[in-house]
Amino acid sequence: MNDLDQVRVLVIANQKGGVGKTTTAINLGTALAAIGETVLLIDLDPQGNASTGLGIDRKQREISTFDVMMGERSLDAAIRPTSVPRLFIAPSTLDLLGVELAIAHEKERNFRLKNAIHGMIDRGATAHSEKISYILIDCPPSLNLLTINALAAADSVLVPLQCEFFALEGLSQLLSTVEQVKRSLNPKLAIHGIVLTMYDSRNNLASQVVADVRAFLGDKVYETVIPRNVRVSEAPSYGKPVLLYDLKCNGSQAYLKLASEVIQRERNLRAA
């Protein structure tokens, strides 16, 4: 098995904002690191919330995913440590907003990120001398060229889905885009799973949404459900993942369970 087979690349994507996408990227990455994996989180969202949520000040982002996407710097050069052991980040800046226009006519425009990741893996796939086992990519809340680059570079897609009335609206569009990318750009791309987020057990509608999504998508839906939790919402304002902010809260425990489920699915996939 070569280095490319040993590093798993998961895209965290949903074209709807406010569904817990970046929160999931931060906290799943932290949970995977907490149980022994070495994780690189690539922030591909121009808003840079994943970078901020992990305590990376905007002034500290001298090299960012913008430079990587423009081909001006290697992915290795953009990687920074975080306050979480074994969790690293390639931060983003608002400059990413200009990438689509800048590379729109380039022949390899859909593969900029894939080439950067493969280049890093070919050089040993390490972050500050630690061997990377998982790469998570936090996408913008839209199906644009940045998201297409992430999907073209990935092994699989993890979709956060909010437990609300319009949860399934737009999901079919995302699944259709994944199929289109699979056909045209990345034959190995698969749906890793759907994670239900912001679940409020006091809300009867939320329970109905969970039942509907499970009926519609079956075993593609993770068993773990992420609850609506005040501590999860507070943590980013302190530049911390919730597992560092309050390990014992329901949100932290749910993300640890999700990380275990992700690893188990990976083992099943490799054994298949």
Side-chain angles (χ1 to χ4, degrees), residues 156-187:
S156 52
V157 187
L158 187 155
V159 184
L161 202 64
Q162 188 176 358
C163 293
E164 60 158 27
F165 181 70
F166 294 112
L168 292 172
E169 187 178 276
L171 179 62
S172 58
Q173 184 186 358
L174 176 60
L175 297 180
S176 175
T177 300
V178 170
E179 281 303 312
Q180 187 176 349
V181 170
K182 184 174 181 175
R183 286 194 304 269
S184 59
L185 302 174
N186 184 2

mmCIF file of all heavy atoms in Angstrom, residues 156-187:
data_model
loop_
_atom_site.group_PDB
_atom_site.id
_atom_site.type_symbol
_atom_site.label_atom_id
_atom_site.label_comp_id
_atom_site.label_asym_id
_atom_site.label_seq_id
_atom_site.Cartn_x
_atom_site.Cartn_y
_atom_site.Cartn_z
ATOM 1 N N SER A 156 -14.100 10.690 -0.579
ATOM 2 C CA SER A 156 -15.519 10.628 -0.253
ATOM 3 C C SER A 156 -16.022 11.958 0.307
ATOM 4 O O SER A 156 -15.237 12.857 0.613
ATOM 5 C CB SER A 156 -15.788 9.487 0.735
ATOM 6 O OG SER A 156 -14.938 9.581 1.852
ATOM 7 N N VAL A 157 -17.352 12.037 0.436
ATOM 8 C CA VAL A 157 -18.020 13.266 0.853
ATOM 9 C C VAL A 157 -18.831 13.002 2.120
ATOM 10 O O VAL A 157 -19.580 12.017 2.189
ATOM 11 C CB VAL A 157 -18.986 13.790 -0.239
ATOM 12 C CG1 VAL A 157 -19.543 15.152 0.143
ATOM 13 C CG2 VAL A 157 -18.296 13.844 -1.584
ATOM 14 N N LEU A 158 -18.674 13.871 3.092
ATOM 15 C CA LEU A 158 -19.477 13.835 4.304
ATOM 16 C C LEU A 158 -20.399 15.057 4.260
ATOM 17 O O LEU A 158 -19.928 16.186 4.115
ATOM 18 C CB LEU A 158 -18.572 13.862 5.537
ATOM 19 C CG LEU A 158 -19.212 13.661 6.906
ATOM 20 C CD1 LEU A 158 -18.184 13.101 7.900
ATOM 21 C CD2 LEU A 158 -19.786 14.963 7.469
ATOM 22 N N VAL A 159 -21.706 14.818 4.374
ATOM 23 C CA VAL A 159 -22.684 15.900 4.230
ATOM 24 C C VAL A 159 -23.375 16.179 5.562
ATOM 25 O O VAL A 159 -24.120 15.332 6.063
ATOM 26 C CB VAL A 159 -23.752 15.538 3.182
ATOM 27 C CG1 VAL A 159 -24.715 16.714 2.970
ATOM 28 C CG2 VAL A 159 -23.119 15.123 1.861
ATOM 29 N N PRO A 160 -23.149 17.352 6.163
ATOM 30 C CA PRO A 160 -23.924 17.736 7.345
ATOM 31 C C PRO A 160 -25.321 18.192 6.901
ATOM 32 O O PRO A 160 -25.457 18.956 5.946
ATOM 33 C CB PRO A 160 -23.132 18.912 7.935
ATOM 34 C CG PRO A 160 -21.847 18.963 7.174
ATOM 35 C CD PRO A 160 -22.112 18.349 5.852
ATOM 36 N N LEU A 161 -26.341 17.714 7.601
ATOM 37 C CA LEU A 161 -27.716 18.028 7.233
ATOM 38 C C LEU A 161 -28.461 18.461 8.487
ATOM 39 O O LEU A 161 -28.565 17.698 9.451
ATOM 40 C CB LEU A 161 -28.376 16.784 6.626
ATOM 41 C CG LEU A 161 -29.585 16.976 5.729
ATOM 42 C CD1 LEU A 161 -29.203 17.745 4.465
ATOM 43 C CD2 LEU A 161 -30.172 15.625 5.345
ATOM 44 N N GLN A 162 -28.957 19.693 8.478
ATOM 45 C CA GLN A 162 -29.634 20.230 9.650
ATOM 46 C C GLN A 162 -31.013 19.586 9.837
ATOM 47 O O GLN A 162 -31.734 19.326 8.870
ATOM 48 C CB GLN A 162 -29.801 21.744 9.506
ATOM 49 C CG GLN A 162 -30.337 22.426 10.761
ATOM 50 C CD GLN A 162 -30.397 23.941 10.594
ATOM 51 O OE1 GLN A 162 -29.996 24.478 9.551
ATOM 52 N NE2 GLN A 162 -30.894 24.633 11.604
ATOM 53 N N CYS A 163 -31.367 19.326 11.084
ATOM 54 C CA CYS A 163 -32.671 18.726 11.400
ATOM 55 C C CYS A 163 -33.759 19.800 11.379
ATOM 56 O O CYS A 163 -34.228 20.272 12.420
ATOM 57 C CB CYS A 163 -32.625 18.053 12.766
ATOM 58 S SG CYS A 163 -31.563 16.607 12.831
ATOM 59 N N GLU A 164 -34.146 20.184 10.173
ATOM 60 C CA GLU A 164 -35.193 21.194 10.012
ATOM 61 C C GLU A 164 -36.073 20.819 8.827
ATOM 62 O O GLU A 164 -35.771 19.895 8.068
ATOM 63 C CB GLU A 164 -34.567 22.577 9.781
ATOM 64 C CG GLU A 164 -33.694 22.626 8.551
ATOM 65 C CD GLU A 164 -33.493 24.044 8.008
ATOM 66 O OE1 GLU A 164 -33.562 24.993 8.795
ATOM 67 O OE2 GLU A 164 -33.271 24.169 6.793
ATOM 68 N N PHE A 165 -37.151 21.568 8.669
ATOM 69 C CA PHE A 165 -38.169 21.231 7.681
ATOM 70 C C PHE A 165 -37.615 21.133 6.256
ATOM 71 O O PHE A 165 -37.988 20.263 5.489
ATOM 72 C CB PHE A 165 -39.294 22.277 7.728
ATOM 73 C CG PHE A 165 -40.407 21.987 6.763
ATOM 74 C CD1 PHE A 165 -41.263 20.918 6.959
ATOM 75 C CD2 PHE A 165 -40.599 22.782 5.640
ATOM 76 C CE1 PHE A 165 -42.292 20.642 6.072
ATOM 77 C CE2 PHE A 165 -41.621 22.514 4.742
ATOM 78 C CZ PHE A 165 -42.470 21.440 4.963
ATOM 79 N N PHE A 166 -36.688 22.044 5.908
ATOM 80 C CA PHE A 166 -36.157 22.074 4.542
ATOM 81 C C PHE A 166 -34.874 21.262 4.401
ATOM 82 O O PHE A 166 -34.087 21.496 3.489
ATOM 83 C CB PHE A 166 -35.901 23.517 4.107
ATOM 84 C CG PHE A 166 -37.151 24.339 3.986
ATOM 85 C CD1 PHE A 166 -37.396 25.374 4.873
ATOM 86 C CD2 PHE A 166 -38.088 24.075 2.992
ATOM 87 C CE1 PHE A 166 -38.552 26.135 4.765
ATOM 88 C CE2 PHE A 166 -39.243 24.834 2.878
ATOM 89 C CZ PHE A 166 -39.486 25.864 3.768
ATOM 90 N N ALA A 167 -34.658 20.311 5.303
ATOM 91 C CA ALA A 167 -33.393 19.570 5.317
ATOM 92 C C ALA A 167 -33.081 18.904 3.983
ATOM 93 O O ALA A 167 -31.941 18.961 3.507
ATOM 94 C CB ALA A 167 -33.422 18.514 6.424
ATOM 95 N N LEU A 168 -34.081 18.282 3.372
ATOM 96 C CA LEU A 168 -33.821 17.536 2.142
ATOM 97 C C LEU A 168 -33.817 18.423 0.903
ATOM 98 O O LEU A 168 -33.395 17.987 -0.164
ATOM 99 C CB LEU A 168 -34.862 16.422 1.979
ATOM 100 C CG LEU A 168 -34.763 15.285 3.001
ATOM 101 C CD1 LEU A 168 -35.937 14.339 2.879
ATOM 102 C CD2 LEU A 168 -33.453 14.531 2.834
ATOM 103 N N GLU A 169 -34.287 19.668 1.075
ATOM 104 C CA GLU A 169 -34.290 20.584 -0.069
ATOM 105 C C GLU A 169 -32.852 20.959 -0.421
ATOM 106 O O GLU A 169 -32.099 21.431 0.408
ATOM 107 C CB GLU A 169 -35.089 21.844 0.267
ATOM 108 C CG GLU A 169 -35.285 22.782 -0.912
ATOM 109 C CD GLU A 169 -36.123 24.002 -0.531
ATOM 110 O OE1 GLU A 169 -37.354 23.902 -0.557
ATOM 111 O OE2 GLU A 169 -35.524 25.031 -0.177
ATOM 112 N N GLY A 170 -32.470 20.759 -1.605
ATOM 113 C CA GLY A 170 -31.098 21.066 -2.028
ATOM 114 C C GLY A 170 -30.154 19.892 -1.914
ATOM 115 O O GLY A 170 -29.109 19.875 -2.564
ATOM 116 N N LEU A 171 -30.505 18.899 -1.072
ATOM 117 C CA LEU A 171 -29.626 17.744 -0.944
ATOM 118 C C LEU A 171 -29.528 16.985 -2.261
ATOM 119 O O LEU A 171 -28.451 16.539 -2.644
ATOM 120 C CB LEU A 171 -30.127 16.814 0.166
ATOM 121 C CG LEU A 171 -29.302 15.543 0.388
ATOM 122 C CD1 LEU A 171 -27.877 15.880 0.807
ATOM 123 C CD2 LEU A 171 -29.969 14.637 1.416
ATOM 124 N N SER A 172 -30.650 16.879 -2.954
ATOM 125 C CA SER A 172 -30.635 16.162 -4.233
ATOM 126 C C SER A 172 -29.704 16.842 -5.232
ATOM 127 O O SER A 172 -29.042 16.172 -6.028
ATOM 128 C CB SER A 172 -32.048 16.058 -4.816
ATOM 129 O OG SER A 172 -32.607 17.334 -4.998
ATOM 130 N N GLN A 173 -29.630 18.180 -5.169
ATOM 131 C CA GLN A 173 -28.722 18.913 -6.058
ATOM 132 C C GLN A 173 -27.269 18.578 -5.737
ATOM 133 O O GLN A 173 -26.450 18.350 -6.631
ATOM 134 C CB GLN A 173 -28.951 20.419 -5.942
ATOM 135 C CG GLN A 173 -28.092 21.230 -6.919
ATOM 136 C CD GLN A 173 -28.224 22.732 -6.705
ATOM 137 O OE1 GLN A 173 -28.990 23.188 -5.844
ATOM 138 N NE2 GLN A 173 -27.473 23.503 -7.470
ATOM 139 N N LEU A 174 -26.949 18.511 -4.443
ATOM 140 C CA LEU A 174 -25.585 18.166 -4.036
ATOM 141 C C LEU A 174 -25.239 16.737 -4.452
ATOM 142 O O LEU A 174 -24.163 16.480 -5.002
ATOM 143 C CB LEU A 174 -25.429 18.318 -2.522
ATOM 144 C CG LEU A 174 -24.071 17.899 -1.936
ATOM 145 C CD1 LEU A 174 -22.935 18.720 -2.525
ATOM 146 C CD2 LEU A 174 -24.081 18.001 -0.419
ATOM 147 N N LEU A 175 -26.161 15.814 -4.225
ATOM 148 C CA LEU A 175 -25.920 14.419 -4.607
ATOM 149 C C LEU A 175 -25.759 14.281 -6.120
ATOM 150 O O LEU A 175 -24.943 13.493 -6.600
ATOM 151 C CB LEU A 175 -27.059 13.534 -4.105
ATOM 152 C CG LEU A 175 -27.239 13.462 -2.585
ATOM 153 C CD1 LEU A 175 -28.409 12.555 -2.222
ATOM 154 C CD2 LEU A 175 -25.973 13.007 -1.891
ATOM 155 N N SER A 176 -26.527 15.083 -6.860
ATOM 156 C CA SER A 176 -26.407 15.082 -8.318
ATOM 157 C C SER A 176 -25.039 15.606 -8.749
ATOM 158 O O SER A 176 -24.417 15.062 -9.674
ATOM 159 C CB SER A 176 -27.515 15.939 -8.928
ATOM 160 O OG SER A 176 -27.359 16.058 -10.317
ATOM 161 N N THR A 177 -24.562 16.654 -8.076
ATOM 162 C CA THR A 177 -23.234 17.204 -8.383
ATOM 163 C C THR A 177 -22.151 16.175 -8.088
ATOM 164 O O THR A 177 -21.198 16.015 -8.861
ATOM 165 C CB THR A 177 -22.982 18.482 -7.567
ATOM 166 O OG1 THR A 177 -23.975 19.459 -7.897
ATOM 167 C CG2 THR A 177 -21.606 19.062 -7.851
ATOM 168 N N VAL A 178 -22.286 15.462 -6.966
ATOM 169 C CA VAL A 178 -21.315 14.414 -6.625
ATOM 170 C C VAL A 178 -21.274 13.356 -7.723
ATOM 171 O O VAL A 178 -20.199 12.929 -8.158
ATOM 172 C CB VAL A 178 -21.667 13.777 -5.260
ATOM 173 C CG1 VAL A 178 -20.824 12.527 -5.018
ATOM 174 C CG2 VAL A 178 -21.447 14.780 -4.134
ATOM 175 N N GLU A 179 -22.450 12.943 -8.214
ATOM 176 C CA GLU A 179 -22.505 11.943 -9.290
ATOM 177 C C GLU A 179 -21.867 12.473 -10.577
ATOM 178 O O GLU A 179 -21.183 11.749 -11.283
ATOM 179 C CB GLU A 179 -23.956 11.531 -9.548
ATOM 180 C CG GLU A 179 -24.482 10.536 -8.540
ATOM 181 C CD GLU A 179 -23.643 9.262 -8.475
ATOM 182 O OE1 GLU A 179 -23.337 8.690 -9.545
ATOM 183 O OE2 GLU A 179 -23.281 8.848 -7.363
ATOM 184 N N GLN A 180 -22.108 13.750 -10.853
ATOM 185 C CA GLN A 180 -21.538 14.356 -12.058
ATOM 186 C C GLN A 180 -20.016 14.410 -11.975
ATOM 187 O O GLN A 180 -19.308 14.098 -12.944
ATOM 188 C CB GLN A 180 -22.113 15.763 -12.242
ATOM 189 C CG GLN A 180 -21.725 16.410 -13.551
ATOM 190 C CD GLN A 180 -22.392 17.769 -13.729
ATOM 191 O OE1 GLN A 180 -23.299 18.146 -12.987
ATOM 192 N NE2 GLN A 180 -21.935 18.520 -14.711
ATOM 193 N N VAL A 181 -19.500 14.794 -10.799
ATOM 194 C CA VAL A 181 -18.050 14.833 -10.593
ATOM 195 C C VAL A 181 -17.474 13.418 -10.686
ATOM 196 O O VAL A 181 -16.403 13.202 -11.258
ATOM 197 C CB VAL A 181 -17.706 15.480 -9.236
ATOM 198 C CG1 VAL A 181 -16.222 15.306 -8.899
ATOM 199 C CG2 VAL A 181 -18.060 16.968 -9.246
ATOM 200 N N LYS A 182 -18.198 12.452 -10.145
ATOM 201 C CA LYS A 182 -17.742 11.061 -10.206
ATOM 202 C C LYS A 182 -17.620 10.592 -11.654
ATOM 203 O O LYS A 182 -16.651 9.917 -12.020
ATOM 204 C CB LYS A 182 -18.719 10.175 -9.428
ATOM 205 C CG LYS A 182 -18.294 8.717 -9.350
ATOM 206 C CD LYS A 182 -19.225 7.923 -8.456
ATOM 207 C CE LYS A 182 -18.769 6.476 -8.366
ATOM 208 N NZ LYS A 182 -19.582 5.704 -7.416
ATOM 209 N N ARG A 183 -18.586 10.955 -12.464
ATOM 210 C CA ARG A 183 -18.565 10.535 -13.875
ATOM 211 C C ARG A 183 -17.473 11.232 -14.683
ATOM 212 O O ARG A 183 -16.837 10.621 -15.533
ATOM 213 C CB ARG A 183 -19.927 10.814 -14.523
ATOM 214 C CG ARG A 183 -21.030 9.854 -14.108
ATOM 215 C CD ARG A 183 -22.228 9.979 -15.042
ATOM 216 N NE ARG A 183 -22.733 11.343 -15.108
ATOM 217 C CZ ARG A 183 -23.683 11.818 -14.306
ATOM 218 N NH1 ARG A 183 -24.229 11.042 -13.380
ATOM 219 N NH2 ARG A 183 -24.101 13.058 -14.440
ATOM 220 N N SER A 184 -17.258 12.511 -14.407
ATOM 221 C CA SER A 184 -16.401 13.302 -15.290
ATOM 222 C C SER A 184 -15.004 13.592 -14.751
ATOM 223 O O SER A 184 -14.065 13.774 -15.535
ATOM 224 C CB SER A 184 -17.084 14.633 -15.630
ATOM 225 O OG SER A 184 -17.350 15.372 -14.446
ATOM 226 N N LEU A 185 -14.836 13.634 -13.422
ATOM 227 C CA LEU A 185 -13.567 14.084 -12.867
ATOM 228 C C LEU A 185 -12.915 13.123 -11.880
ATOM 229 O O LEU A 185 -11.692 13.109 -11.744
ATOM 230 C CB LEU A 185 -13.747 15.446 -12.152
ATOM 231 C CG LEU A 185 -14.289 16.612 -12.976
ATOM 232 C CD1 LEU A 185 -14.531 17.810 -12.074
ATOM 233 C CD2 LEU A 185 -13.326 16.982 -14.099
ATOM 234 N N ASN A 186 -13.723 12.334 -11.157
ATOM 235 C CA ASN A 186 -13.171 11.556 -10.049
ATOM 236 C C ASN A 186 -13.967 10.260 -9.860
ATOM 237 O O ASN A 186 -14.881 10.195 -9.036
ATOM 238 C CB ASN A 186 -13.199 12.394 -8.761
ATOM 239 C CG ASN A 186 -12.559 11.682 -7.581
ATOM 240 O OD1 ASN A 186 -12.053 10.572 -7.697
ATOM 241 N ND2 ASN A 186 -12.588 12.331 -6.427
ATOM 242 N N PRO A 187 -13.640 9.213 -10.614
ATOM 243 C CA PRO A 187 -14.421 7.968 -10.594
ATOM 244 C C PRO A 187 -14.525 7.290 -9.233
ATOM 245 O O PRO A 187 -15.463 6.539 -8.980
ATOM 246 C CB PRO A 187 -13.664 7.064 -11.583
ATOM 247 C CG PRO A 187 -12.874 7.991 -12.438
ATOM 248 C CD PRO A 187 -12.531 9.162 -11.577
#
